[in-house]
Amino acid sequence: MDSIPLLPDRGGRRVFVALGDSFTEGVGDDDPRFPNGVRGWADRVAERLAKAQPGWEYANLAIRSKRLRHIAGEQLGPAVAMEPTLVTLYAGGNDILDFGTDIGALMRDYESLVAALAGTGATLVLFTGFDVKVSALLEPLKKRNAFYNRSVREIADRYGAVLVDYWCFDAFHDPRMWDSDRLHMSKAGHKYLASQVLDHLGVPHKIKPRDWEPPVKPGLLEWERRQRRWVRDWVLPLFGRKLRGLTLGDQLRPRWPEPVRVPRKGGLKKLLHDQRAIGQSGAR
């Protein structure tokens, strides 16, 4: 893994913009104190950046369920307008899960998005996708996922992007790194990914992976119970939304739509506290 020194700035400007879908929004890392009720790896990266180099601003435009075309159409323009010095992008995972996706066309559109972001001159971070062992029903998608990952690696190399090769992280074979829907990272998974992004950027941090005992393999009856609950709580609602043409992100706005200055101490929690205090004071 190659790392770079503390990120350069542009005349004192340090702006981190995160684009994407649920992966970057923070789904699975539940925290009601934060916008959209989640925190996520990108928030954690922003906080460590501010501790290492005061003055960082941070925007997170990611919204769950967004396809690549939505990210290009809705997030690219605002991101470029912010004149970022650091950009992270994960896009295309939801498209891979859609029936009838032309994976070749998808990756051509992905490269166009990467080219536009690289044109800002910002340090650009890209991610491969993890081969989630959700169900045998999704095994036919493995070829798409492999093509996606291979393409992302090639595109990252062409555009000089920092590649976080998520696919290679053995830690994510532990089911405790995943939320109950088995598709999104748990809080522990988001923390681990934040540490990997920071390591790739050469930013110091003290995020430590969980020191767990080996997972206990469930018995047959417990496994069947978990499978039924998963199908009831996640699979059937997912297909129901697909049939109705709905997504979980339809009524959501970006969590941090404009760059916010991240405090060195207390991070984004302190920022939210200060914003609420100002709002309550103004309402009197």
Side-chain angles (χ1 to χ4, degrees):
M1 175 188 69
D2 296 329
S3 64
I4 61 179
L6 283 179
L7 293 160
D9 55 40
R10 293 179 181 172
R13 291 184 67 261
R14 300 184 179 104
V15 182
F16 167 29
V17 181
L19 292 81
D21 53 26
S22 57
F23 174 86
T24 301
E25 185 190 354
V27 173
D29 186 5
D30 297 336
D31 193 324
R33 296 169 295 180
F34 285 79
N36 294 357
V38 294
R39 188 178 179 188
W41 65 265
D43 278 22
R44 298 173 190 278
V45 167
E47 291 167 359
R48 269 53 180 199
L49 286 170
K51 287 183 179 180
Q53 288 180 305
W56 274 95
E57 296 179 75
Y58 165 56
N60 189 325
L61 306 180
I63 297 177
R64 65 197 72 179
S65 306
K66 294 298 183 181
R67 272 56 179 173
L68 179 66
R69 63 185 182 278
H70 302 131
I71 295 167
E74 301 166 11
Q75 300 177 24
L76 174 60
V80 172
M82 294 175 196
E83 299 183 3
T85 53
L86 170 66
V87 174
T88 62
L89 172 69
Y90 177 77
N94 289 313
D95 299 83
I96 290 174
L97 294 174
D98 286 340
F99 299 113
T101 294
D102 182 335
I103 189 67
L106 177 71
M107 297 317 298
R108 289 191 291 274
D109 291 341
Y110 177 93
E111 181 164 4
S112 296
L113 178 55
V114 168
L117 293 170
T120 66
T123 299
L124 178 58
V125 180
L126 304 179
F127 301 82
T128 55
F130 196 76
D131 185 20
V132 184
K133 303 296 184 183
V134 175
S135 166
L137 295 174
L138 299 183
E139 284 301 294
L141 299 178
K142 288 186 69 171
K143 288 185 178 180
R144 283 192 196 175
N145 201 40
F147 184 86
Y148 175 90
N149 287 343
R150 186 166 61 250
S151 299
V152 169
R153 294 184 186 110
E154 294 169 355
I155 291 168
D157 184 61
R158 280 199 292 275
Y159 290 87
V162 176
L163 177 66
V164 179
D165 206 344
Y166 186 35
W167 182 85
C168 296
F169 296 160
D170 290 339
F172 285 97
H173 290 295
D174 191 312
R176 290 167 292 191
M177 297 289 272
W178 299 95
D179 197 19
S180 55
D181 65 0
R182 306 181 188 177
L183 285 173
H184 296 102
M185 293 178 290
S186 64
K187 186 179 295 292
H190 278 278
K191 287 183 177 180
Y192 184 86
L193 186 65
S195 73
Q196 291 297 315
V197 173
L198 292 164
D199 286 347
H200 279 70
L201 294 174
V203 177
H205 64 88
K206 295 182 180 180
I207 302 176
K208 302 293 183 184
R210 291 289 298 270
D211 185 17
W212 280 316
E213 294 293 326
V216 177
K217 189 174 181 179
L220 179 59
L221 290 178
E222 174 63 16
W223 179 85
E224 289 180 343
R225 185 181 70 83
R226 292 181 185 180
Q227 289 295 101
R228 288 196 301 270
R229 185 172 60 190
W230 174 67
V231 170
R232 181 195 67 210
D233 292 348
W234 298 107
V235 177
L236 294 179
L238 172 64
F239 279 99
R241 289 192 299 273
K242 281 185 176 292
L243 290 173
R244 298 193 304 274
L246 303 174
T247 77
L248 291 174
D250 287 344
Q251 305 302 319
L252 295 178
R253 297 180 67 250
R255 299 183 56 243
W256 305 100
E258 301 290 340
V260 294
R261 179 65 63 90
V262 185
R264 290 181 62 190
K265 295 183 178 180
L268 293 166
K269 290 180 188 175
K270 181 179 185 300
L271 175 66
L272 280 171
H273 179 271
D274 292 347
Q275 289 176 336
R276 287 167 181 159
I278 292 171
Q280 290 168 358
S281 175
R284 292 192 184 117

